[in-house]
Amino acid sequence: VNKRLTPVEKIEQSEPYRFFLSTVHGIQDNYNQTNAISLKEILSVEHGQLTRSAQFNYMFDIEFLLEQYPSEFRLKPLLIVHGDSRDDNHSLKTQCSPYPQIELCPARLDIPFGTHHTKMMFLLYETGLRIVIHTANLISQDWRQKTQGIWISPICPKTNDTRESKTNFKKDLLDYIEQYRTRQLQFWQKTINEHDFSSINVHIISSTPGRHTGANINKFGHLKLRQTLKNYLNLENNEQYYSAPIIGQFSSIGSLGPNANSWLTKEFLTSLKQLNTNSFDSPELKLIYPTVENVRTSFEGYIAGGSLPYNMQTAMKQTWLINYLHRWKADHRQRSRASPHIKTYLRVTNDQYKNLLWFLVTSANLSKAAWGVLEKNNTQLMIRSYEIGVLFIPKQFSQTIFPLFDSSSFPIPYDLPPVKYESTDKPWIVDMTYKNQPDSHGNMWDPH
Ligand SMILES: O=C(O)c1cnc2c(S(=O)(=O)O)cccc2c1O
């Protein structure tokens, strides 16, 4: 019998990974019980007495957001951290004007085309501080029938000594927040400092706008990922890992250059393939991005494509990318039709994908803006956007690898091995017209 789990039971059962997918309207209930959680359940009164919270995000529906908090918490102080692009700001100001308990904190975006992609919650309870890092906008559409990724920290108790985690989570989080350079985050900087993070077992991989150089060059973006994998991935120097495939999965794609050898493999893949040895084999890079058919047959239909903003202007410059592309397929989680808004990067052993070497869930899509691009003869990493994600490394869980197909296996979001695009498959492009076949709601897609 499928007993409905309470939010607290769901989190207890998710140990030690604490990694969830969003619940999906329309799938069998048991696929919404195991390692799946809703926004209301994340904010449930069951976790304790909330005193205040902060919500970092890109898109906000304030009415929807307040509705997800238990009624007794809706008047608590709420800090909204958002990108400072003018138009959003206006609508956001208007949305928040009836609520004096809501404070708006615009994140500076000094570099053109940068966005505040970061999706994170600070939840301060009387018993301590919880951090949630995820991939969903704070709008109902993002939490209804998509596949989103969510990591939920323990409630970290207050402490009178620093109490850092073995993964330097506290320092990395404070380094990230420092980059906003705003007094509005001072309360949270102080609060983070006062709590004991020693139970946290994931690494932070974040991005902040800037030209990061010198001592800061490995602090953010794909160089932070490279550095962290180099320092913590304790794979014995055995050959079998050298060709272990790397998988990237995302909901949008930036302009990557005229061929694979510019940024994608020379820079980005170099960071992802980092082992603690300088392995020479080039592992296969497999990229998962929805096909038109994935979108057409999804629960939402073509509308899902509105959240997959890969545009024609970019796509036509990089037709070479199609050779790396694989379909979205998540039958084992009953989410093949729940369009992905999650972004994940992982590495598996090449013996039929039985073991996971590491796993990253993040807000960062496949773009230079998110991950950074090396400049000035590789002396600086230029990043345009704010991003944040958490990296799972077996060593931090007292394992050498994460088993994929047994009882203690890691709850991966999609089916492995990924299924390569067939010759008839096309990547979803948001500003193309799709009129030859109706979607699951009988509609066509004509963006003009
Ligand atoms: O989750 C995000 O951070 C994010 C960012 N951008 C999006 C865009 S667009 O601004 O790139 O046109 C269009 C549709 C969905 C988007 C989205 O979900």
Side-chain angles (χ1 to χ4, degrees):
V1 68
N2 296 323
K3 175 177 169 299
R4 275 181 186 275
L5 297 173
T6 68
V8 171
E9 286 168 335
K10 283 188 170 186
I11 293 178
E12 284 164 354
Q13 287 206 5
S14 73
E15 284 289 354
Y17 305 117
R18 311 175 72 92
F19 171 58
F20 300 82
L21 299 183
S22 47
T23 52
V24 176
H25 285 250
I27 67 175
Q28 286 166 28
D29 191 57
N30 58 310
Y31 288 95
N32 280 335
Q33 293 298 315
T34 314
N35 297 314
I37 200 160
S38 67
L39 182 52
K40 265 193 175 159
E41 289 173 314
I42 294 169
L43 297 172
S44 164
V45 64
E46 272 213 28
H47 303 299
Q49 193 57 32
L50 189 77
T51 54
R52 61 198 289 169
S53 63
Q55 295 282 354
F56 294 65
N57 217 300
Y58 174 78
M59 280 188 213
F60 299 83
D61 173 340
I62 296 299
E63 296 298 334
F64 164 77
L65 174 59
L66 289 175
E67 173 65 32
Q68 308 315 305
Y69 281 85
S71 52
E72 55 267 53
F73 297 158
R74 283 177 197 152
L75 295 178
K76 301 291 183 185
L78 166 59
L79 182 69
I80 298 282
V81 184
H82 62 94
D84 67 356
S85 58
R86 222 174 351 83
D87 50 333
D88 298 13
N89 213 345
H90 172 72
S91 83
L92 204 43
K93 272 198 177 105
T94 311
Q95 286 192 67
C96 296
S97 51
Y99 306 107
Q101 74 276 26
I102 297 182
E103 180 187 348
L104 285 179
C105 172
R108 59 179 182 79
L109 285 163
D110 306 340
I111 299 184
F113 304 109
T115 50
H116 187 259
H117 263 180
T118 283
K119 296 167 174 71
M120 173 162 63
M121 309 181 197
F122 295 160
L123 305 172
L124 185 58
Y125 294 98
E126 285 175 354
T127 51
L129 173 64
R130 165 167 280 162
I131 313 285
V132 179
I133 291 174
H134 63 104
T135 64
N137 286 293
L138 294 172
I139 60 176
S140 59
Q141 180 191 352
D142 267 41
W143 290 90
R144 184 170 160 73
Q145 294 189 307
K146 294 182 187 295
T147 299
Q148 304 279 6
I150 304 137
W151 173 77
I152 303 180
S153 86
I155 295 182
C156 302
K158 214 163 162 135
T159 174
N160 45 26
D161 59 12
T162 50
R163 304 296 289 156
E164 173 58 279
S165 79
K166 58 190 174 180
T167 59
N168 290 325
F169 188 97
K170 183 187 283 198
K171 179 188 172 304
D172 286 354
L173 183 57
L174 288 170
D175 282 352
Y176 172 79
I177 295 175
E178 186 54 36
Q179 292 292 308
Y180 286 82
R181 298 200 191 91
T182 167
R183 294 178 180 290
Q184 290 185 274
L185 285 167
Q186 261 175 352
F187 170 83
W188 290 106
Q189 288 172 300
K190 177 174 166 291
T191 302
I192 287 165
N193 249 318
E194 291 168 349
H195 284 79
D196 169 356
F197 280 55
S198 55
S199 62
I200 290 186
N201 51 22
V202 294
H203 294 264
I204 282 186
I205 306 292
S206 72
S207 292
T208 62
R211 291 174 176 81
H212 305 291
T213 181
N216 297 329
I217 194 165
N218 295 321
K219 243 184 184 177
F220 303 109
H222 73 76
L223 289 185
K224 174 64 174 359
L225 181 55
R226 186 182 301 191
Q227 184 70 38
T228 307
L229 292 175
K230 194 182 178 71
N231 291 346
Y232 291 92
L233 214 51
N234 60 348
L235 300 173
E236 303 74 47
N237 297 2
N238 48 7
E239 313 287 311
Q240 68 164 318
Y241 294 134
Y242 286 3
S243 56
I246 288 169
I247 298 174
Q249 174 275 316
F250 33 76
S251 61
S252 191
I253 307 169
S255 184
L256 305 176
N259 56 54
N261 311 323
S262 37
W263 181 82
L264 187 67
T265 54
K266 189 159 55 72
E267 204 170 310
F268 185 65
L269 179 60
T270 301
S271 289
L272 273 72
K273 78 180 192 182
Q274 183 56 49
L275 298 173
N276 53 5
T277 58
N278 40 15
S279 59
F280 308 104
D281 297 36
S282 74
E284 279 181 289
L285 175 63
K286 297 167 181 265
L287 304 177
I288 296 174
Y289 176 76
T291 62
V292 175
E293 193 62 5
N294 279 144
V295 176
R296 189 183 71 82
T297 58
S298 71
F299 289 124
E300 297 171 271
Y302 285 128
I303 293 275
S307 300
L308 299 165
Y310 186 30
N311 64 52
M312 187 66 198
Q313 184 198 358
T314 306
M316 68 199 310
K317 292 186 294 186
Q318 49 202 34
T319 52
W320 53 265
L321 189 67
I322 195 128
N323 303 319
Y324 289 87
L325 295 183
H326 296 69
R327 297 174 176 174
W328 169 255
K329 185 172 169 293
D331 291 345
H332 81 286
R333 304 288 296 265
Q334 228 180 58
R335 284 170 168 82
S336 292
R337 298 182 63 204
S339 186
H341 191 257
I342 187 174
K343 295 90 174 147
T344 59
Y345 301 82
L346 62 82
R347 187 163 194 180
V348 282
T349 49
N350 47 6
D351 55 354
Q352 285 82 40
Y353 294 75
K354 276 213 287 283
N355 300 310
L356 198 54
L357 300 182
W358 52 264
F359 181 88
L360 172 68
V361 57
T362 171
S363 61
N365 280 307
L366 186 65
S367 76
K368 296 176 185 175
W371 286 103
V373 56
L374 284 164
E375 294 179 335
K376 292 203 170 151
N377 200 17
N378 298 357
T379 60
Q380 73 181 20
L381 187 68
M382 193 276 281
I383 298 175
R384 297 181 191 274
S385 298
Y386 292 87
E387 311 280 355
I388 198 162
V390 291
L391 176 67
F392 299 82
I393 292 185
K395 176 181 189 174
Q396 303 298 7
F397 296 79
S398 313
Q399 306 179 60
T400 51
I401 45 92
F402 292 130
L404 279 183
F405 302 109
D406 74 17
S407 55
S408 74
S409 68
F410 190 90
I412 46 167
Y414 38 79
D415 300 344
L416 291 176
V419 175
K420 211 168 167 4
Y421 275 25
E422 309 239 340
S423 56
T424 51
D425 285 323
K426 299 281 178 243
W428 169 265
I429 290 172
V430 68
D431 50 353
M432 273 187 70
T433 301
Y434 301 100
K435 280 184 170 172
N436 47 13
Q437 278 185 294
D439 69 9
S440 50
H441 298 262
N443 300 324
M444 300 298 190
W445 179 262
D446 186 349
H448 304 100

